[in-house]
Amino acid sequence: MASLFNGPMKSSSFPPLPKFRRTNAFLKIGLEIWCIENLQLVSVPKSSHGKFYCGNAYIVLHTTLPKSGAPQHDVHYWLGNDLDKVDSVLASDKALELDATLGSCTVQYREIQGQETEKFLSYFKPCIIPIEGVYTSQQGHLHDEKYQVSMLTCKGDHAVRVKEVPFSRSSLNHNDVFILDTVSKIFLFSGCNSSIQERAKALEVVQYIKETKHSGNCQVATVEDGKFVGDPDVGEFWSLFGGYAPIPRDSPSSFENQSNTTSVKLFWITTMGKLSQCGNDSLSKAMLGSDRCYMLDCNDEIFVWMGKQTSVTERKTSISFTEEFLRSQGRSVGTYLTLITEGLETAKFRSYFNNWPQKVAPRLYEEGRGKVAAIFKQQGYEVKELPEEDAQSFIDCSGTLKVWRVDGNELFLIPVPEQKKLFSSDCYIVQYTYPCNGRDENLFYAWLGRGSVKEERTDAISHMNAIADSTRGEPVLAQVVEDKEPAQFFLIFQILIIFKGGKNARYKKLIAEKDIADETYDESKVALFRVQGTSPSNMQAIQVEQVSRSLNSSYCYILQNGASIFTWIGNLSSTRDHDLLDRMTELMNPTWQPISVREGSEPDVFWNALGGKAEFAREKEIKGHTEDPHLFMLSITDGDFKEKEIYNFTQDDLTTEDVLVLDCHSELFVWIGCHSNVKSKQQGLTLGMKFLEKDVLAEGLSSETPIYVISEGHEPPFFTCFFVWDSSKANMHGNSFERKLALLKGKQQNLEVPTRNSRKTYSRETTPDGLRSKSVSSNGWGRSMSPASSVSNSNLKSPISSLSASPTPIARELFSGSSPHGSAEESLTSIGSPRKEVKSPSENEGLIQADGNEAGINLLMYPYERLKVVSTDPITDIDVTKREAYLSNEEFEAKFGMRKGDFYKLAKWKQNKLKMALHLF
């Protein structure tokens, strides 16, 4: 396509990037970086990513593929401190033109050296250390090759800002952490007022310097502010400064604190580059016109909002004016500038407006299913419908279950045959005990019925905490409200029936006082049940109001009308739904002889039982928009807290001194570090509820979203599945600084706790009643394994977890020759796949390995066009779950933007997203 770039760069521009379309995936997932060199854009090779020269400007494009929807792009233009004004303006212009090339679907950020946004820093872990001089693509590094002693200061507990300071005693202070890098030794000096988290992150920088500048061959010494007696490393450190001398107490920090002022002002930027104030503090989306550009001034952060009907020229004028405005106002260099196109507003931007409308989920679900069905038919398969993806359990679903009904200050243990039956005006405590990592783990739920009163819910939470406290170990606690249950809750019950009404004293008192009818289920009354679920080991019957409008064409129902039983089949229900309907009818009462009716052929007696025929939902229920998880650190002060998002998070961001919230939209995880100031699970639940109330991402979170509270070192697999999990890191003692220091010095073994297999199995005898509940369904059937648990349940930590604690290997593997040290992804993707015949070495010519490692089995290479699901000339007799494995290394890197080894290190769900975008899944 023709270049969209004007101005000085006539001989060079970005590589041709086609206009983005939803059905195409032209761009590489991850990072692409360009540097402005001699007024030209030069692509920076991957080996140089993270190396930024102070005399240059860079354009950084970060592309991600969310769980649903189109790829998302963030454009950052980084400006070095020694950059001239021409390159600075050029970088801003080219960032905007890159946005236009991508179809105006990016968010743009201005990044000033030393004041970068945490999102930008998260791309280059553990840090970026700007290099003096100017980048040249021809000669590479221009700085002096002679090793120079340097001193750096580190600031930040998750995203670290590293700044070089003069090698002088006067640079030291009590508030920050410093790194002194010499030829043979790296010193870490920790100011007495610095936090443990900052010291730990600085150790990661030390490790980075040791590996990149010293090839791993140098000593590391730590020096604590104020402690210098009898330590040779300390003496050596101070000798480099000419001897010890006290540091003044009033030394300022190397980094300025940003203003806490929260007042905001909205300005319209005219086409002539002038400001016209529209409002302040109380803002609404209606103030923004699609044919205009606006500046939102939040003191320490500036947003430029560009209407979708504005031209590139208008946007350039607005951005240039805003940058000049910042200079003329004498704003701090730390003032962030974010550029947003209409429709791509960030959560931070939306938070400054009152009642910003929620995003409407795209109605692509049915369309997507139809396209997939068409593809299968094209391949010669007889496909009538594609069933919903079965809910996946990450824990063993053959454990034991105990259920208590809450009645004020009393608890009543539900007999095993009845524990699959809950009432919607009651509250229950559920204890589920399951084997994991060689011991029994406990998961507690407080299930709050939709019709339960507030006092009953409060008592339920209190009872759950009391039972959990009486149980040894660190059980996971969860609070769920009826109709908002997470998938894991249904999977441990496997079969669940929820009736209307209740049995507790408060409910009975309430209906007596208000003189309302008792809705409690009675076999002699009319009752309507909606049947739902994904498999025989995950199905529910929910009693709904017995009226016609309760019906939905997407479901099947059971109508009980005295002696008559009807099963109603919605026109949009699937054959799987019909199977579940038959099974549930038999489970509820094996003596029933139901009359089966299909939607549209109901007899009058059916409608009469429901009070007459009425309109009901007849459209297919659209699957909700799936959000990617977000991790937040909570800063707790005087019972209140502030939240800070951690971008591109990893397990290492779970620092033991912190409390973090993993927001998965449909459920919330509160993670409590061992060394945090939150000591009780009750407090964790409270923090989770406050987080829901604040709705940090302005995503319309329900206050009834399920909340899990998890203790460090006892993370369940349905939490670790969101990370690439290393269980050895979760088993270390000490604070975060001590742990990182042990890893740096190779002493990890000394800090590990005893293996879990050696600990005594407990929990089944430690609940208040002392009974060992054996889970049997109401019809007398024993508990069966869920579909996921049939493949070594305890192994299924997650598609992306390490499985390092698996007691037994998975029996059926695709990679029959795989090493015992193969990745978790290799093991998990192999489940249920047929064994491939391994060719002899003489037959392996022209073959590649499936996972890019020596552990993989050799497979034939095929071109991408024949491996695609939509190929017109498809390859047959391949493992269709690993189409990408048959690509050559060169074509794999061209399509995925990474090597095979790096791809298979990604989380499984991330692998699948990339494969889907390339039509390989």
Side-chain angles (χ1 to χ4, degrees):
M1 58 175 286
S3 173
L4 297 176
F5 297 88
N6 304 309
M9 289 188 191
K10 299 211 179 273
S11 60
S12 177
S13 67
F14 292 105
L17 298 172
K19 291 279 187 179
F20 174 74
R21 298 180 178 86
R22 286 187 179 274
T23 56
N24 295 329
F26 295 105
L27 297 176
K28 296 179 181 178
I29 303 302
L31 285 176
E32 292 185 76
I33 303 178
W34 297 268
C35 178
I36 294 180
E37 178 188 355
N38 298 325
L39 299 182
Q40 294 185 351
L41 279 177
V42 177
S43 180
V44 177
K46 190 173 183 179
S47 59
S48 294
H49 284 190
K51 298 177 181 178
F52 292 89
Y53 284 80
C54 301
N56 290 99
Y58 292 80
I59 308 292
V60 176
L61 171 64
H62 184 247
T63 303
T64 58
L65 189 63
K67 285 187 176 180
S68 57
Q72 296 176 353
H73 312 285
D74 288 309
V75 174
H76 305 256
Y77 57 102
W78 186 91
L79 309 176
N81 287 341
D82 300 333
L83 184 68
D84 61 49
K85 187 175 180 180
V86 173
D87 282 354
S88 176
V89 174
L90 209 50
S92 173
D93 287 349
K94 295 311 168 186
L96 183 60
E97 291 178 11
L98 175 59
D99 170 68
T101 306
L102 294 169
S104 296
C105 62
T106 77
V107 178
Q108 301 157 64
Y109 303 84
R110 183 185 68 162
E111 306 289 352
I112 303 296
Q113 179 182 335
Q115 302 293 336
E116 297 88 353
T117 63
E118 295 202 355
K119 173 174 276 193
F120 181 80
L121 293 173
S122 72
Y123 307 148
F124 308 101
K125 293 183 178 181
C127 65
I128 61 173
I129 304 177
I131 304 169
E132 293 294 330
V134 178
Y135 172 84
T136 66
S137 55
Q138 301 297 323
Q139 301 177 18
H141 301 274
L142 290 184
H143 60 286
D144 194 347
E145 292 299 325
K146 182 180 178 181
Y147 200 90
Q148 298 289 330
V149 175
S150 60
M151 194 158 87
L152 309 169
T153 182
C154 302
K155 190 74 171 178
D157 44 20
H158 284 277
V160 185
R161 293 184 177 86
V162 178
K163 178 180 178 181
E164 186 167 1
V165 294
F167 175 28
S168 168
R169 186 198 312 277
S170 60
S171 295
L172 299 173
N173 63 61
H174 298 290
N175 301 314
D176 298 324
V177 183
F178 296 84
I179 296 172
L180 180 59
D181 180 20
T182 69
V183 176
S184 59
K185 185 178 286 190
I186 303 174
F187 295 88
L188 179 73
F189 176 86
S190 302
C192 58
N193 296 329
S194 62
S195 69
I196 294 294
Q197 296 96 313
E198 285 181 315
R199 300 178 188 189
K201 296 305 288 188
L203 279 176
E204 292 184 11
V205 179
V206 169
Q207 178 72 35
Y208 172 75
I209 294 173
K210 179 180 178 181
E211 292 176 354
T212 57
K213 296 182 69 175
H214 297 267
S215 301
N217 299 316
C218 73
Q219 294 180 309
V220 174
T222 57
V223 179
E224 283 196 50
D225 185 8
K227 296 183 180 180
F228 56 89
V229 178
D231 189 328
D233 286 332
V234 174
E236 184 180 354
F237 173 79
W238 286 112
S239 69
L240 296 171
F241 294 91
Y244 173 76
I247 301 172
R249 285 290 172 187
D250 58 349
S251 293
S253 170
S254 299
F255 292 82
E256 298 177 3
N257 292 324
Q258 294 182 341
S259 170
N260 291 322
T261 308
T262 56
S263 62
V264 295
K265 296 179 182 179
L266 181 66
F267 298 91
W268 165 41
I269 307 174
T270 70
T271 54
M272 302 299 292
K274 294 185 178 181
L275 293 180
S276 175
Q277 186 166 346
C278 304
N280 61 302
D281 294 332
S282 182
L283 305 176
S284 67
K285 186 185 178 184
M287 295 178 174
L288 303 174
S290 295
D291 58 346
R292 296 183 175 184
C293 295
Y294 297 83
M295 183 180 78
L296 182 67
D297 186 355
C298 308
N299 298 294
D300 59 351
E301 185 167 17
I302 300 286
F303 294 91
V304 175
W305 185 90
M306 301 168 287
K308 56 188 176 184
Q309 295 177 17
T310 57
S311 67
V312 172
T313 301
E314 289 175 299
R315 298 180 186 190
K316 280 187 179 181
T317 300
S318 298
I319 296 169
S320 298
F321 172 80
T322 303
E323 292 179 330
E324 183 59 38
F325 172 81
L326 290 175
R327 285 190 289 268
S328 64
Q329 292 286 313
R331 293 293 182 91
S332 165
V333 293
T335 302
Y336 294 119
L337 177 59
T338 305
L339 316 174
I340 298 172
T341 302
E342 181 181 359
L344 298 168
E345 296 84 3
T346 63
K348 185 72 176 293
F349 178 85
R350 288 182 274 128
S351 69
Y352 292 111
F353 292 78
N354 297 325
N355 303 316
W356 188 279
Q358 294 298 317
K359 292 182 179 179
V360 179
R363 296 176 63 87
L364 301 175
Y365 177 58
E366 282 302 307
E367 179 187 354
R369 282 164 56 90
K371 286 182 178 179
V372 174
I375 291 170
F376 273 87
K377 287 180 179 179
Q378 182 181 354
Q379 302 298 323
Y381 295 97
E382 289 295 328
V383 178
K384 294 183 179 180
E385 61 184 15
L386 295 177
E388 300 283 353
E389 182 179 346
D390 199 0
Q392 183 178 9
S393 175
F394 294 107
I395 63 174
D396 190 325
C397 287
S398 63
T400 59
L401 190 66
K402 285 185 180 180
V403 182
W404 292 267
R405 180 172 61 82
V406 178
D407 199 337
N409 293 325
E410 296 185 86
L411 283 178
F412 296 91
L413 180 67
I414 306 299
V416 172
E418 299 296 316
Q419 64 185 10
K420 303 294 185 78
K421 302 175 182 179
L422 307 181
F423 288 81
S424 63
S425 291
D426 288 334
C427 294
Y428 296 84
I429 308 301
V430 177
Q431 179 187 8
Y432 182 66
T433 306
Y434 63 97
C436 182
N437 297 332
R439 68 176 181 184
D440 280 356
E441 295 285 3
N442 280 296
L443 170 58
F444 283 91
Y445 286 97
W447 186 85
L448 313 178
R450 176 65 59 189
S452 60
V453 298
K454 182 179 180 181
E455 295 80 4
E456 203 74 7
R457 296 185 177 198
T458 302
D459 286 342
I461 300 297
S462 178
H463 285 306
M464 177 178 66
N465 280 288
I467 298 176
D469 288 343
S470 70
T471 305
R472 292 180 59 191
E474 292 288 345
V476 174
L477 269 58
Q479 171 185 305
V480 300
V481 179
E482 181 187 358
D483 296 334
K484 295 289 185 179
E485 297 93 346
Q488 192 63 62
F489 181 83
F490 288 137
L491 287 168
I492 64 174
F493 270 91
Q494 299 190 8
I495 298 165
L496 184 62
I497 305 172
I498 300 178
F499 299 103
K500 296 177 72 67
K503 298 183 178 181
N504 70 83
R506 287 192 177 109
Y507 170 72
K508 293 178 180 178
K509 180 181 178 182
L510 177 67
I511 61 175
E513 289 177 348
K514 295 192 174 184
D515 193 26
I516 55 179
D518 186 356
E519 291 187 323
T520 305
Y521 172 74
D522 186 333
E523 288 187 1
S524 64
K525 299 179 182 178
V526 176
L528 181 65
F529 294 87
R530 183 182 71 243
V531 178
Q532 62 187 38
T534 59
S535 72
S537 55
N538 174 27
M539 59 181 181
Q540 305 86 41
I542 314 295
Q543 187 177 358
V544 296
E545 190 177 359
Q546 53 269 18
V547 292
S548 299
R549 65 176 178 272
S550 295
L551 298 174
N552 187 308
S553 297
S554 299
Y555 292 99
C556 296
Y557 292 79
I558 298 172
L559 175 61
Q560 179 183 340
N561 182 24
S564 300
I565 304 297
F566 293 92
T567 55
W568 185 85
I569 300 173
N571 285 338
L572 299 178
S573 60
S574 66
T575 54
R576 181 177 65 182
D577 296 328
H578 307 161
D579 179 56
L580 296 183
L581 175 65
D582 294 339
R583 289 173 180 267
M584 185 58 78
T585 304
E586 182 182 358
L587 284 169
M588 291 181 68
N589 191 330
T591 66
W592 280 349
Q593 298 295 323
I595 302 170
S596 179
V597 297
R598 283 192 170 271
E599 180 182 346
S601 60
E602 304 87 348
D604 290 341
V605 65
F606 177 87
W607 294 119
N608 292 338
L610 296 178
K613 189 174 182 179
E615 286 300 313
F616 54 87
R618 299 177 186 273
E619 293 185 0
K620 185 69 175 179
E621 285 199 339
I622 302 300
K623 196 173 185 179
H625 187 67
T626 306
E627 300 286 346
D628 281 349
H630 296 261
L631 185 67
F632 293 87
M633 183 182 74
L634 302 186
S635 183
I636 305 165
T637 307
D638 299 328
D640 198 7
F641 70 87
K642 294 182 179 179
E643 68 293 326
K644 181 176 72 173
E645 183 166 5
I646 300 171
Y647 301 96
N648 296 306
F649 61 84
T650 66
Q651 181 186 355
D652 289 335
D653 289 309
L654 301 176
T655 44
T656 185
E657 293 80 17
D658 292 330
V659 175
L660 298 108
V661 169
L662 184 66
D663 177 5
C664 300
H665 190 75
S666 59
E667 52 193 353
L668 201 73
F669 296 89
V670 180
W671 182 90
I672 301 176
C674 292
H675 291 77
S676 72
N677 57 3
V678 172
K679 302 303 179 185
S680 71
K681 299 286 180 64
Q682 175 63 64
Q683 191 177 355
L685 280 174
T686 302
L687 289 171
M689 289 186 284
K690 286 185 177 181
F691 184 89
L692 291 176
E693 290 172 5
K694 293 189 74 171
D695 194 11
V696 178
L697 293 175
E699 56 184 337
L701 278 181
S702 168
S703 60
E704 298 177 345
T705 300
I707 302 173
Y708 288 92
V709 182
I710 297 167
S711 298
E712 180 187 5
H714 295 265
E715 296 85 356
F718 53 84
F719 172 79
T720 61
C721 69
F722 295 103
F723 302 81
V724 177
W725 196 258
D726 181 352
S727 58
S728 66
K729 292 182 180 179
N731 289 338
M732 295 184 71
H733 286 322
N735 61 38
S736 54
F737 176 78
E738 293 167 340
R739 297 179 188 186
K740 292 285 173 64
L741 186 60
L743 291 171
L744 182 61
K745 295 192 173 184
K747 297 180 181 179
Q748 180 181 356
Q749 295 291 329
N750 297 334
L751 290 180
E752 290 183 0
V753 298
T755 58
R756 291 186 173 183
N757 289 347
S758 65
R759 297 183 61 174
K760 181 179 178 180
T761 303
Y762 54 84
S763 301
R764 299 192 183 189
E765 306 292 340
T766 54
T767 46
D769 60 295
L771 298 176
R772 180 177 297 185
S773 300
K774 184 177 181 181
S775 299
V776 180
S777 63
S778 57
N779 70 342
W781 295 355
R783 286 181 66 84
S784 63
M785 304 281 272
S786 73
S789 64
S790 64
V791 198
S792 186
N793 279 277
S794 59
N795 296 348
L796 281 180
K797 294 196 76 171
S798 73
I800 58 177
S801 58
S802 66
L803 301 179
S804 58
S806 302
T808 55
I810 296 171
R812 299 175 64 190
E813 294 187 354
L814 171 64
F815 304 118
S816 57
S818 63
S819 157
H821 304 294
S823 69
E825 290 76 11
E826 295 167 16
S827 299
L828 195 64
T829 53
S830 67
I831 295 172
S833 301
R835 241 181 230 280
K836 298 286 185 182
E837 181 181 354
V838 183
K839 297 177 180 291
S840 65
S842 60
E843 297 175 296
N844 283 340
E845 187 175 358
L847 303 183
I848 63 164
Q849 294 172 348
D851 58 356
N853 299 322
E854 293 180 0
I857 184 171
N858 291 327
L859 302 175
L860 285 167
M861 289 187 297
Y862 295 107
Y864 168 73
E865 293 300 326
R866 297 194 65 191
L867 289 170
K868 292 192 302 183
V869 176
V870 293
S871 174
T872 56
D873 181 23
I875 295 293
T876 58
D877 194 28
I878 61 171
D879 181 358
V880 295
T881 67
K882 295 190 71 66
R883 294 176 182 272
E884 78 289 349
Y886 298 88
L887 290 170
S888 67
N889 290 332
E890 294 76 12
E891 194 164 18
F892 188 98
E893 291 188 31
K895 295 297 181 183
F896 286 89
M898 65 184 76
R899 297 189 309 172
K900 285 189 178 181
D902 295 331
F903 173 80
Y904 287 107
K905 291 177 183 177
L906 294 176
K908 185 63 180 175
W909 61 275
K910 289 186 178 181
Q911 293 181 26
N912 289 341
K913 288 199 302 182
L914 294 174
K915 289 161 63 175
M916 289 174 66
L918 293 169
H919 305 294
L920 292 172
F921 184 79

